[in-house]
Amino acid sequence: MAEEDAPQDRDPLDAAIRRATTHLLDRQQADGHWVFELEADATIPAEYLMLKRFFGKRDPAQEARIGRYLRRIQAQEAATCAGGWPLFHGGPLDISCSVKAYFALRLIGDAPEAPHMARARDAILRAGGAERSNVFTRATLALFGQVPWRAVPVMPPEICLLPRWFPFHLSKVSYWARTVLVPLTVVMARRPRPLAETGVSLRELFVTPPEMVRRWPGGAHAAEPWKTLFGLLDGALQRTQHLFPAAARARAEAVAEAFVTERLNGEDGLGAIYPAMANAIWMYHCLGVPPDDPRVVTAWAAVEKLVMDRPGDRPGDHPEAGETYVQPCLSPIWDTALVAHALLETGEPRAEAAVVRGLSWLLDRQVTDVAGDWADQRPGLAPGGWAFQYANPHYPDVDDTAVVVLALDRAQKQLGGAGPRLGRAVSLATDWVVGMQSKGGGWGAFDADNTHHHLNSIPFADHGALLDPPTADVSGRCLAMLAQLGHGPEHPAVRQGIDYLLAEQEPDGSWYGRWGVNYVYGTWSAVTALNAAGLPPEHPAMRKAVAWLTARQNEDGGWGEDGFTYPRCGGTHADADVRMGPSTASQTAWALLALMAAGAVDAPAVERGARWLLGQQEAHGGWPEEDYTGTGFPRVFYLRYHGYAQLFPLWALARLRMLRKGNSRRVVHGL
């Protein structure tokens, strides 16, 4: 008899937990870790194809698979995009994503007059044309000669030489901006041309011919007077950049190259994120580094590691039915730590044994020997964090570190058998997280005090995400970690963390979610932390959170929201016309976990949410979810974590069972 059909599973909740547990255990890798697909929008597979074509690298079979992926997404999203491509499932057309996807299909060989291409072109023109594309899209188009370089704000390599006191300095922007921008400055200064002509023109996508466009778009978030000042500065640089001294340019390019090479990160890549990896390849090419140089070979290998080939979905499908897309990065540390929490919640011996293997794998990946870029703001602080990806030693993630420590500590208390290695790992990580706390009591993801908000108004920052300021979700995890480890309000970091979270609560009772979509995610992150820190269910902040979650529950019993609950002009306060979305498995699980942490275990909303999850579970034990419930940059870049719908519902249902069967209704864990 299969385990999921065991006689003891007479209760539907027990049966669902057992099936979901088996499903996750079947996904564990041989060395103990978990890693799920991480999917963004159509932009990155399109960019990957463009990168290869720039260097004359053609792979017709792979291009055909990428083409099938892009066309399927276009058809799947026709109801909301009318021929274009969105940033997330069910979202409206995004002009930049659509331009890149269209360009990639043209490079593959799709004819402009083909029906799907005509639909895409019409949709792009209705949205204002390719001249409405964002900065990074225009930079890519400029590389292929599709727009003039004046369409791209000037960011010369000399920014690498600016002193720390200058209004712009690399240490003042986020890690992702740093790793993407440094190699790109060289590329924009050198302005290389493709090694092989593409024979493709995108003039049909412009309402105004690109050479005649005088005012390229900026970000809606840009604030005065910075917007005007930086605009004037960019205009001056556009006119004078060719006058920069050759000696200073050579020195700046050498600094940029050294920065990239030091952080090349083997086959895990610069910053372990696709855009930075691709820009590194272009930079080395501009500097004359030969293709067989180990740096270039390594940079290409890192890019190829992100390629995801999918077979056809139906049994008996021809090999040509498969698709290929490119992941923005890989998420094994995050996935493994979260799965560990979900499996520990079940209390099943087979699940706990798997967690022990997963945590052993995690212990081997703690960064203890590299003082990364974060040390610029925290000199003398000993390293001790974990990255998000397989390896990224210069950029450990505070959020990942807190979640790993929470799992290690819980496993030690629940299973026993902790050795000195685990204790040392937790101690190092705790000291590092405490040291990374920003002024005001919050935590950012990768840097401390990365709050130079005026820089989000420079023309190059039209995405509004140049910085890594403290956020409620990351801060919640750090506070939860400290509280679970036994640190009370007498600990300065805990007291400041509580005060920060209480101050960040929105007037309606929710919290903004920076790294997950959105207010449901932020509210889960904050409420679980405040519960761990000792706030009772009767506290006004907890009551307001419960009221907000209850009011946002869908009629079917679940919860959901899409990427456009993020405020249009930045900030954390919801727009007046904000609307929630259809129920999803991961967001319903977050809502349930938040309600239980706030003391509402027996509330009707929890029962209805659990019933929705039970009704949505698939036969194999997981849950369906095409929605993008992860966030890269609000309103700009979203993520579909394929593991979220497999682990969070299990976590929520197992916790509900534990609380119902226990003598207490209080959640005793930090997460």
Side-chain angles (χ1 to χ4, degrees), residues 346-388:
T346 70
E348 294 189 17
R350 61 185 181 131
E352 293 172 340
V355 168
V356 170
R357 295 176 57 226
L359 295 182
S360 177
W361 182 88
L362 285 171
L363 282 172
D364 290 338
R365 278 147 188 85
Q366 188 177 23
V367 181
T368 60
D369 57 348
V370 176
D373 287 10
W374 53 266
D376 192 87
Q377 290 296 321
R378 293 295 185 265
L381 179 63
W386 276 266
F388 179 80

Side-chain angles (χ1 to χ4, degrees), residues 189-213:
R190 294 290 187 109
R191 301 182 177 183
R193 295 302 303 266
L195 298 188
E197 287 299 323
T198 65
V200 170
S201 170
L202 295 183
R203 292 183 71 84
E204 70 264 23
L205 296 186
F206 288 83
V207 174
T208 303
E211 67 275 6
M212 295 179 63
V213 178

Side-chain angles (χ1 to χ4, degrees), residues 24-93:
L24 276 184
L25 295 179
D26 289 344
R27 296 295 303 273
Q28 189 171 25
Q29 304 292 312
D31 60 3
H33 81 283
W34 282 266
V35 62
F36 298 94
E37 289 184 49
L38 183 58
E39 187 175 3
D41 55 70
T43 298
I44 291 181
E47 289 178 345
Y48 167 79
L49 191 143
M50 287 184 257
L51 175 70
K52 295 189 75 171
R53 279 300 190 91
F54 186 95
F55 289 99
K57 294 175 177 285
R58 298 201 62 174
D59 183 340
Q62 184 185 67
E63 290 182 0
R65 292 194 301 272
I66 292 175
R68 283 193 288 273
Y69 176 83
L70 294 176
R71 292 184 213 102
R72 178 181 62 78
I73 298 296
Q74 180 192 26
Q76 175 181 298
E77 306 298 336
T80 55
C81 293
W85 287 261
L87 296 178
F88 54 86
H89 175 58
L93 172 144

Side-chain angles (χ1 to χ4, degrees), residues 7-346:
Q8 64 266 34
D9 293 340
R10 297 192 182 112
D11 185 295
L13 184 60
D14 288 337
I17 290 169
R18 197 163 188 82
R19 284 196 300 271
T21 301
T22 299
H23 181 59
L24 276 184
L25 295 179
D26 289 344
R27 296 295 303 273
Q28 189 171 25
Q29 304 292 312
D31 60 3
H33 81 283
W34 282 266
V35 62
F36 298 94
E37 289 184 49
L38 183 58
E39 187 175 3
D41 55 70
T43 298
I44 291 181
E47 289 178 345
Y48 167 79
L49 191 143
M50 287 184 257
L51 175 70
K52 295 189 75 171
R53 279 300 190 91
F54 186 95
F55 289 99
K57 294 175 177 285
R58 298 201 62 174
D59 183 340
Q62 184 185 67
E63 290 182 0
R65 292 194 301 272
I66 292 175
R68 283 193 288 273
Y69 176 83
L70 294 176
R71 292 184 213 102
R72 178 181 62 78
I73 298 296
Q74 180 192 26
Q76 175 181 298
E77 306 298 336
T80 55
C81 293
W85 287 261
L87 296 178
F88 54 86
H89 175 58
L93 172 144
D94 179 77
I95 193 74
S96 299
C97 176
S98 298
V99 167
K100 285 185 175 178
Y102 182 95
F103 191 17
L105 289 174
R106 286 292 313 277
L107 291 173
I108 290 170
D110 288 18
E113 61 272 13
H116 68 288
M117 298 296 280
R119 287 193 297 272
R121 180 172 62 253
D122 291 345
I124 291 168
L125 292 173
R126 283 195 303 272
E131 58 262 47
R132 304 303 304 166
S133 298
N134 63 23
V135 164
F136 287 109
T137 300
R138 299 199 305 271
T140 302
L141 294 180
L143 279 169
F144 285 88
Q146 303 292 333
V147 300
W149 275 101
R150 61 177 173 76
V152 186
V154 177
M155 291 292 279
E158 284 80 1
I159 66 171
C160 298
L161 305 178
L162 293 173
R164 186 180 305 279
W165 54 262
F166 201 76
F168 182 95
H169 188 267
L170 287 173
S171 68
K172 296 178 179 178
V173 299
S174 62
Y175 117 73
W176 56 86
R178 226 172 287 142
T179 55
V180 169
L181 189 56
V182 168
L184 186 58
T185 63
V186 176
V187 178
M188 292 193 298
R190 294 290 187 109
R191 301 182 177 183
R193 295 302 303 266
L195 298 188
E197 287 299 323
T198 65
V200 170
S201 170
L202 295 183
R203 292 183 71 84
E204 70 264 23
L205 296 186
F206 288 83
V207 174
T208 303
E211 67 275 6
M212 295 179 63
V213 178
R214 291 294 176 265
R215 293 182 64 84
W216 300 92
H221 63 278
E224 297 290 1
W226 299 110
K227 179 180 179 180
T228 297
L229 291 173
F230 285 129
L232 292 171
L233 177 60
D234 182 67
L237 289 172
Q238 294 279 6
R239 294 188 297 273
T240 62
Q241 59 180 318
H242 64 286
L243 301 176
F244 289 5
R249 173 59 53 86
R251 187 157 59 94
E253 290 183 342
V255 170
E257 187 277 329
F259 176 94
V260 171
T261 298
E262 178 188 341
R263 295 160 179 78
L264 203 55
N265 194 27
E267 292 189 1
D268 291 291
L270 176 63
I273 51 176
Y274 174 84
M277 299 178 197
N279 289 346
I281 292 171
W282 265 311
M283 182 202 73
Y284 285 131
H285 167 68
C286 290
L287 296 177
V289 179
D292 59 353
D293 185 282
R295 291 168 291 178
V296 179
V297 173
T298 298
W300 272 110
V303 166
E304 296 296 342
K305 193 172 178 179
L306 299 177
V307 175
M308 173 61 64
D309 293 320
R310 287 178 177 166
D313 289 333
R314 295 179 298 276
D317 271 352
H318 191 276
E320 291 183 0
E323 297 178 345
T324 290
Y325 78 98
V326 182
Q327 300 173 97
C329 61
L330 303 175
S331 54
I333 302 290
W334 185 243
D335 293 342
T336 301
L338 290 175
V339 169
H341 283 282
L343 292 178
L344 284 170
E345 200 75 39
T346 70

